[in-house]
Amino acid sequence: MIQRKNENWFRMLFIWRGSVLPKVLPRLILLLILSISIVYFKGKLFEYKIPLNPAPFTLFGIALALFLGFRNNASYDRFWEARKIWGALLNDTRSLARQALTMSGYAEDSKEVSTFINYLIAFTYALKHQLRHTDASVDLTQRLDPVLAQQLDTAKYKPIMLMKAMGNWVQQAKEAGKIDTIVQSAFDDNLNKLSEIVGGCERIASTPIPYSYRVLLHRTVYIYCFLLPFGFVDSLGWMTPIIVTFIAYTFVALEAIADEIEEPFGTEPNDMALNGMCSMIENTLLEMAGKPIIDSPPVKGYTID
Amino acid sequence: MIQRKNENWFRMLFIWRGSVLPKVLPRLILLLILSISIVYFKGKLFEYKIPLNPAPFTLFGIALALFLGFRNNASYDRFWEARKIWGALLNDTRSLARQALTMSGYAEDSKEVSTFINYLIAFTYALKHQLRHTDASVDLTQRLDPVLAQQLDTAKYKPIMLMKAMGNWVQQAKEAGKIDTIVQSAFDDNLNKLSEIVGGCERIASTPIPYSYRVLLHRTVYIYCFLLPFGFVDSLGWMTPIIVTFIAYTFVALEAIADEIEEPFGTEPNDMALNGMCSMIENTLLEMAGKPIIDSPPVKGYTID
Amino acid sequence: MIQRKNENWFRMLFIWRGSVLPKVLPRLILLLILSISIVYFKGKLFEYKIPLNPAPFTLFGIALALFLGFRNNASYDRFWEARKIWGALLNDTRSLARQALTMSGYAEDSKEVSTFINYLIAFTYALKHQLRHTDASVDLTQRLDPVLAQQLDTAKYKPIMLMKAMGNWVQQAKEAGKIDTIVQSAFDDNLNKLSEIVGGCERIASTPIPYSYRVLLHRTVYIYCFLLPFGFVDSLGWMTPIIVTFIAYTFVALEAIADEIEEPFGTEPNDMALNGMCSMIENTLLEMAGKPIIDSPPVKGYTID
Amino acid sequence: MIQRKNENWFRMLFIWRGSVLPKVLPRLILLLILSISIVYFKGKLFEYKIPLNPAPFTLFGIALALFLGFRNNASYDRFWEARKIWGALLNDTRSLARQALTMSGYAEDSKEVSTFINYLIAFTYALKHQLRHTDASVDLTQRLDPVLAQQLDTAKYKPIMLMKAMGNWVQQAKEAGKIDTIVQSAFDDNLNKLSEIVGGCERIASTPIPYSYRVLLHRTVYIYCFLLPFGFVDSLGWMTPIIVTFIAYTFVALEAIADEIEEPFGTEPNDMALNGMCSMIENTLLEMAGKPIIDSPPVKGYTID
Amino acid sequence: MIQRKNENWFRMLFIWRGSVLPKVLPRLILLLILSISIVYFKGKLFEYKIPLNPAPFTLFGIALALFLGFRNNASYDRFWEARKIWGALLNDTRSLARQALTMSGYAEDSKEVSTFINYLIAFTYALKHQLRHTDASVDLTQRLDPVLAQQLDTAKYKPIMLMKAMGNWVQQAKEAGKIDTIVQSAFDDNLNKLSEIVGGCERIASTPIPYSYRVLLHRTVYIYCFLLPFGFVDSLGWMTPIIVTFIAYTFVALEAIADEIEEPFGTEPNDMALNGMCSMIENTLLEMAGKPIIDSPPVKGYTID
């Protein structure tokens, strides 16, 4: 996630870092060169004038903008839903921590409560690693007892196995007479929500926007942009390359951003800052349990990963 | 569901598999031939010039794009809602499995727990078969005891009958003194959610987008595309077939994709991968119950069915 | 609700039944005749040429499409929300039936359970009749004991009175020692949902889209369509009637469909198939209770009422 | 709320009552007069021709339609959300009444149940008066015992104080041994929902659409409409006033309707019929309690207030 | 938040305070001056005529309006969601207060209930200060006992620590025999909701709209507006500056408003009135507890902060 202070409206026009411009620049330069040659040859291809004018581009440009808007909306909705789910993870781990601290009958500084808080933190990291297809073993070994950490090492759905461990913890608390079935149910409600959180993340990660959509819109955007100079060369003359590149910048960049935020769990600049969130959840749970807070990783070049 | 890695922006322009192009190609070729003849005859029909120009097409093209956008949104919402419901199925079966494993009072490896997990897996398959109108008997016989499997064979609403079986299982657990009414209620809450999942799927499967909408938009798209060459033949000359086919490609393909994802439980390339999901739910439940995982079916030609 | 199989893309262009064309045809013919006369008189009215050209129609046509899109969305949302509520009715009656069968302590084939299932079925029919302002007495007498049926006959809010009867049934089960307060609460949660279902239907039925909106858009659509031929007569000549009628067909038909699905509980072709749904709910509840299923009414001419 | 039967499509074009036309007519007449003078002076201002043509109006008209569409959507969403909240009030009061009647242990015709039902009815009226800033004392004195009515007279948040009275009622029922804590919890869940209903209404009533939006769109609509005749006078001649007024009618009327339904609790023609709803809630609760129903106030000139 | 009465439609055209005009005026004046010089030099730059015409601006203006509409929607949704969350805070604190007053077994005027109400009020202020990055110590010291206030002084997530204190309060009430586990669960449900409220606010505050979007749209809007006069100078002559500034006003102002409400917890004119809401929540809770109400801060120049 890119985190920059709001700049003055004028300086914002010339921002490089955090903009998607670096990514799409090669394509725009290619288009610029093409446009310049088209102007130079006055829209002719092998002595033959391409008979195009702005009319079909107006008609179709607006339709294209509409379809791009749809793609964009769908991508942004995915991004925001993913963010909501991680927000729910924060809420739910806090609620479970509060329940463990104030309803479980164990003392706040007991080993049992500490174990449960660690389950929650490990759960958060396990989910992050599953979504990013990275290795969870370091983060888990650090926070769990060796036996469980080893069991998880071979598990395919690690967060789910941790949830089962939490379920067992609650059951043991009940068997130890610390809680009754009603409190168990209260824990269980929040565990159900955790289950929804894992499933929600998996859903977004495993189901992209239908592939055919993306191919169709991608093609339409690029074919449109590369035909554009032919349509405007007669009326705009040497302004054609500038105008065409400007229009293409918006269309192409919008598609590129939509492409990036569509998979919000990745590590591209506009994706969610899962590392930052994990560390934040860890800190708030540690503070609740009366333990020292760990420093957050520093922000590098406006980007939190 | 089509599952392809993200291609380079340039190579994505020439993708064949996973694109909807093969499906709509015949119609586009028909239109291309028509456009070429119109250009050849200079827009005349039996010596009579058709007096059309781009103006009404601009006006109407944008309106058409808007209406197509509506259709598209409605279809995508259906697709995504269906996906959410199957996500909820995953969450809910995991929650029920966790409850059976940690709250039911039965040992994790007891026959009772195993039966319940099998109910959940069978439920998932039964729902898939109901939605795809396929025969569930093989999948059910494999996972259920013969008496119940036979009963289900003649049942019309198989998943519901399986839910009743789960309800009976919980009631028996209570009668056996394994759980009290509060835990029974906790199970019951999740069974209510299962009920919502079945109903949600049935709703999407049984209620298409109002038929008149689809007819209206279908007609408008095709009439528009087939009138288009007459409007542009004077100003675009021999570029008419290319431009018209390009515009028609976007409109027709968008309608075709919308048509496909509107019924998300089917087996067309962009539909949901119900087989993959069933096997995934089965695996995560088996892992929770400490049983070996079954290999997922391999991906064939980028498509998961 | 119209239920047709997907036709081939070509044959779908010529469908008559299930299309809204029959309904709007007279208006379109009127417009066609008007356009033809305008072309015949070359856009003159009493020797005076009406000075109109396509420019204002382009400008305004797109605005109109946008506003029509809004109306359309609002109508479709109402339709889909109504469908969701009836879906929730299915889910909730199934959940209550499952609770009565597996949690109530009565035997599955006891008279009490049978009575409760009948309450649920009668509730469904009573709701349908309330929404369609039809007479519920036949459907209720058939399924309820005479005393209650008579009481309901004079009741204004029949489904609510049936819900109260269900509440009494639960209370009596508790007094008979069959259930405890916790199970009573579980029933009560689902009765609360039934309450939301009734209220949701009443809300949609009693609160149309603000009337001023409908008048405004209706007027705009028709005035626009009837001015259109004057704008295009100069540039399109004898193609004017064809183009104008084609554009008007889309606008007018879209408004007509929106008008139809806006009141989803009616009996027009695109409205919800309440009869079919009642019979489906009845069947699934009967199957759960182990009773024979009643045949669904046959589909007539693609339409389920 | 305006309640009219659906008219024939033709007669709907000439409806006066229920249309927003009377409200915006003076502004349209002003514009009509202005347009006529512009045509008369051939677009000159003090001998100087205003150099305008349709191009910028096409460009900007569509942008304006889009922004107006946004405003419109936001207003309609507020209206519909307010309606949903009042629908939830109906559902929730019915649920609470059912709980009091069937779960409280008091007889259906006992004084206690009757008091509770009156609390619910008084709550409804108190909420209406709070939202409309009218005096609640008559409606409250009629339905509550004098001591409570007097206490409420000075209260600022009357519905909340009534909810507290309901909470006390439930607590007293528990202390009298009529209900246990579980039933108390069931009541409490529904009281929580009541709390959400009050807060939801207060939210909509106290937070308008950001003022700057409304000013911006208002200005843009009117400046646009008053510049419009200058843009079309050259090409449309004496048709200018007609076309301009027609376009302005749609834009101005749409803004006026959006303005009206944005504050749905007011008493303008398109606002919600709070009086009708209060009387409806009262009747359904009285019917449930077995008491006679009060006649609804008659509809005057298609409008329910 | 700006709070103004609805003005007459005519006077609303000339409103200064509450409009976003003062903020964007310098940029518009810059553009106006530029446009005037362009008209003066007849679109020439160093004797060279810039070959631009309205066609590409029409095409792109509509696309721009669409993308701006997307940005606007996303911002408004954030604003409205933030408002909903604070509405939920009001509802939830009222529910918890009602529970403390009527379900806790303590007398309404007991020290314990008073402490709990103060926790709720302090929680509200702590959340406000966290969101605005202001110092909470004055507001907390005033309402909490010194020990807790000091503990909170060093806490990073103050509202969460207050929620833990509430959890402890409930636990102590249970240990004192005032409530049983069921009532504890009812409190716990509402504490879970509080947890969701805090997390929801943190989510909106910490996750802006992806930065690349904002940069892209910002650039597109400004480049578009500054190219606009070149496109219209030939056809509109000296009307160019007026028309261009008018179009630019709408685009630039819309972007500025979207920018402002995107971060709804700030202190800009269109942001949420958190101070007003805190004082309102405090008052309604004090009234419920039978304590005197504190006067609200006066509205200054139409703005509530």
Side-chain angles (χ1 to χ4, degrees), chain A residues 267-278:
Chain A
T267 52
E268 288 180 297
N270 283 301
D271 289 335
M272 276 169 59
L274 294 193
N275 281 340
M277 282 187 210
C278 283

Side-chain angles (χ1 to χ4, degrees), chain D residues 117-133:
Chain D
I117 302 278
N118 278 331
Y119 283 171
L120 289 170
I121 297 171
F123 174 88
T124 307
Y125 281 98
L127 185 57
K128 183 196 80 173
H129 286 294
Q130 179 180 324
L131 293 171
R132 291 204 163 158
H133 306 292

Side-chain angles (χ1 to χ4, degrees), chain B residues 50-95:
Chain B
I50 308 281
L52 275 176
N53 63 41
F57 291 98
T58 301
L59 150 62
F60 197 63
I62 301 168
L64 180 56
L66 270 164
F67 302 148
L68 208 49
F70 161 73
R71 163 93 155 84
N72 208 26
N73 260 320
S75 291
Y76 182 71
D77 284 353
R78 288 169 64 89
F79 169 80
W80 196 235
E81 194 190 353
R83 183 62 189 84
K84 274 193 177 161
I85 292 172
W86 271 76
L89 175 60
L90 169 64
N91 308 341
D92 204 35
T93 46
R94 276 174 175 168
S95 290

